[in-house]
Amino acid sequence: LVASMKQVDETYIMIKPDGVQRGLVGEIISRFERKGFKLTGLKLFQCPKELAEEHYKDLSSKPFFPSLIEYITSGPVVCMAWEGVGIVPSARKLIGATNPLQAEPGTIRGDLAVQTGRNVVHGSDSPENGKREIDLWFNEGEVIQWTPAQAPWFR
Ligand code: RTP
């Protein structure tokens, strides 16, 4: 099948403070690169409380909301925009279940995380939220639509 005929979506992936502090940035980025997705945005960022609250606003009534906001703002995160065919469900498959106890080995959380409250990475749950979250976390000009040159590395 011709890939260009398929719908390309974008998703917001974020390495949470525990992932950064444990030195898992390269490992996590690698998994998305090796899968074949295209990186279109990347930055290290100290998230202000207001942004964390906006990002997780659907969870604001949950008992764990204050500790979730404290966790996400406890140190820098790595914000990423990625694109590809079927990327939203595919990225969530690579990430694994929210609770690392339920996450299969081979997934990021299954291999690298222990607790729900320290589950190292976030991935958007729908293409609409992918767009919303990329707009929320990135400023204009920080997300780049690019096309690779054809095999320039051996010319
Ligand atoms: P994420 O948004 O981070 O990709 O996670 P998710 O969709 O897998 O899970 P969601 O239900 O949206 O929860 C967002 C994040 O909140 C924290 N959480 N803590 N019971 C708890 O203590 C609890 N439940 C959720 C996790 O960090 C989860 O990823």
Side-chain angles (χ1 to χ4, degrees):
L1 278 171
V2 182
S4 63
M5 290 170 66
K6 294 195 175 181
Q7 171 78 27
V8 173
D9 287 314
E10 42 187 6
T11 195
Y12 177 67
I13 303 294
M14 177 167 69
I15 305 174
K16 298 178 179 180
D18 52 330
V20 174
Q21 289 168 31
R22 291 174 56 202
L24 298 173
V25 171
E27 163 79 33
I28 292 170
I29 292 176
S30 268
R31 291 181 181 222
F32 290 94
E33 285 187 322
R34 279 150 55 204
K35 178 72 176 174
F37 293 133
K38 188 203 277 186
L39 182 64
T40 57
L42 174 68
K43 67 178 176 187
L44 184 71
F45 182 65
Q46 175 60 54
C47 175
K49 191 163 183 260
E50 299 68 37
L51 179 57
E53 288 169 348
E54 175 64 23
H55 175 81
Y56 283 121
K57 66 180 179 199
D58 292 350
L59 300 174
S60 61
S61 61
K62 302 279 185 191
F64 60 82
F65 186 70
S67 61
L68 174 59
I69 300 306
E70 196 180 331
Y71 163 44
I72 294 302
T73 58
S74 66
V77 295
V78 172
C79 308
M80 294 182 279
W82 288 88
E83 67 171 46
V85 173
I87 192 163
V88 170
S90 183
R92 286 181 66 90
K93 236 178 175 167
L94 291 180
I95 289 170
T98 305
N99 181 348
L101 266 180
Q102 263 107 54
E104 294 296 328
T107 65
I108 295 170
R109 288 167 175 162
D111 289 347
L112 307 173
V114 177
Q115 303 182 68
T116 302
R118 295 287 183 272
N119 61 4
V120 304
V121 67
H122 160 81
S124 308
D125 61 8
S126 68
E128 297 68 38
N129 277 335
K131 285 195 174 59
R132 177 183 85 87
E133 293 170 4
I134 288 169
D135 286 349
L136 190 62
W137 288 86
F138 286 99
N139 299 311
E140 224 176 296
E142 288 183 335
V143 177
I144 299 170
Q145 305 305 330
W146 57 279
T147 310
Q150 277 189 350
W153 47 86
F154 55 80
R155 278 201 199 124

